[in-house]
Amino acid sequence: MVRKKNSLKDCVAVAGPLGVTHFLILSKTETSVYFKLMRLPGGPTLTFQVKKYSLVRDVVSSLRRHRMHEQQFAHPPLLVLNSFGPHGMHVKLMATMFQNLFPSINVHKVNLNTIKRCLLIDYNPDSQELDFRHYSIKVVPVGASRGMKKLLQEKFPNMSRLQDISELLATGAGLSESEAEPDGDHNITELPQAVAGRGNMRAQQSAVRLTEIGPRMTLQLIKVQEGVGEGKVMFHSFVRKTEEELQAILEAKEKKLQLKAQRQAQQAQNVQRKQEQREAHRKKSLEGMKKARVGDGDEEASGIPSITASLGLGEEDDDQEDDDIEYFCQAVGEAPSEDLFPEAKRKRPAKSPGRKRRETDRGRGRLCDRKFPKPKDKPQGSQTRREPRGASRDGGRGRGRGRSRKRVA
């Protein structure tokens, strides 16, 4: 799907896979209408100025009886070039471009039923203008009366007022005088093969009739360029340059191409350098990781914590066991037995006696690392009573710091 943001380069890029060989571009400015004919993929480009034009609907509306149907456009038209003689290289280039628009025709093997249209391009050497005309081709038999031709048509005539069919064949009654054909030597030919249509037999004379279907244009060549829409100007109808000017233009273009090549080379070097830097950094990182893995055992033996130990990556299992022990201490109120968590003692390495246990990061409190004394057997009926912290056992008359002082009057 073509959008406004698509450029000509985008269309040229997809033209090859789609089998497109030419571009026909119409553009309009404040002064005139222009028509560009481009050969893909490398040019040249012909720019025409449209002097006069008529649309298809204008041409069809001016005709009394027009002939246009979908079958006409199923095959390419027959190209007819007139007055394209030795008038210069630009005229020869124009003729070649128009010929390459359509496939070539072998006159010995061509099927006449595939030729339904005709494209006529006439060149006027005096005004240097092209007349563009588009016709529909119709072949009809000759040598028969108007009544017989009417019978051969698809639409049968009205014979309600005739006594006999001989009246239609003999006098052509009921037919208008405008249907008389203006045939002559200019359009009568002998058919080499049968053509679709009633009465068009082989080795019989038939008349070739042309009906214009449009569009109609009068063109004038403005300039010829080497590339597709850009490049060196090989011909210009209004601007004439000297040899010195042409040489200066070529030198400027060469400098521009050299500068572009230098930029591309510099960009390639930068890309290669960055790629080498990334590769060296990757190798260095891998070597550092290998050294860290090898040095883990030595660091643990020498008492130096490793990188993973400093980050706390190797203490996940210990933290899990510590959390379980802490939860048990808070719920039950005493330390669990060694048989309840047998793996905790085996996984945790021996620590120095002066080293304190660390506190958890989430504020769960200190780990339950002290062992509560086991309750002694008490005689039956005895009950233990807890007193508030700091309260003395002698009913408020404590000793030491808890003893009350007498107030002196």
Side-chain angles (χ1 to χ4, degrees), residues 124-166:
N124 189 352
D126 299 333
S127 61
Q128 297 183 355
E129 294 180 353
L130 299 173
D131 291 331
F132 185 94
R133 299 292 185 270
H134 190 200
Y135 299 96
S136 172
I137 299 177
K138 181 181 179 182
V139 181
V140 294
V142 296
S145 62
R146 290 183 297 170
M148 180 59 68
K149 294 176 183 177
K150 197 68 175 179
L151 288 176
L152 295 177
Q153 295 179 2
E154 296 179 358
K155 185 178 179 180
F156 201 77
N158 186 8
M159 296 188 299
S160 59
R161 298 183 180 181
L162 302 179
Q163 299 294 330
D164 193 359
I165 193 174
S166 60

Side-chain angles (χ1 to χ4, degrees), residues 128 179 376 385:
Q128 297 183 355
E179 295 182 1
K376 298 180 180 181
R385 184 182 65 182

Side-chain angles (χ1 to χ4, degrees), residues 12-67:
V12 174
V14 300
L18 297 178
V20 180
T21 58
H22 290 79
F23 278 172
L24 282 73
I25 303 176
L26 288 169
S27 60
K28 183 179 180 181
T29 62
E30 297 178 356
T31 57
S32 181
V33 179
Y34 294 92
F35 170 71
K36 289 186 178 182
L37 178 60
M38 300 179 181
R39 170 71 177 179
L40 301 180
T45 301
L46 276 63
T47 304
F48 299 91
Q49 181 182 4
V50 182
K51 295 289 186 177
K52 302 176 184 177
Y53 69 93
S54 297
L55 302 178
V56 175
R57 60 183 181 183
D58 299 332
V59 175
V60 172
S61 62
S62 63
L63 300 176
R64 183 178 179 181
R65 295 181 180 179
H66 63 85
R67 296 187 68 257

Side-chain angles (χ1 to χ4, degrees), residues 165-177:
I165 193 174
S166 60
E167 296 182 7
L168 178 65
L169 300 178
T171 61
L175 302 178
S176 61
E177 294 295 335

Side-chain angles (χ1 to χ4, degrees), residues 236-294:
H236 204 289
S237 59
F238 301 129
V239 180
R240 304 291 180 180
K241 295 185 180 295
T242 61
E243 294 295 333
E244 292 79 6
E245 294 176 347
L246 293 176
Q247 189 66 23
I249 292 173
L250 290 177
E251 291 178 357
K253 186 176 181 180
E254 289 179 359
K255 290 182 180 179
K256 186 177 180 180
L257 293 176
Q258 291 177 1
L259 182 60
K260 184 178 180 180
Q262 292 177 1
R263 290 199 304 266
Q264 290 179 352
Q266 185 66 25
Q267 291 175 359
Q269 292 178 1
N270 294 337
V271 171
Q272 183 68 19
R273 178 174 54 81
K274 292 179 181 179
Q275 187 175 1
E276 291 177 357
Q277 290 179 356
R278 287 196 298 267
E279 187 67 21
H281 180 69
R282 188 179 68 85
K283 291 181 179 179
K284 188 175 180 180
S285 301
L286 292 176
E287 291 177 359
M289 294 172 63
K290 290 180 180 178
K291 291 180 180 179
R293 291 176 182 175
V294 172

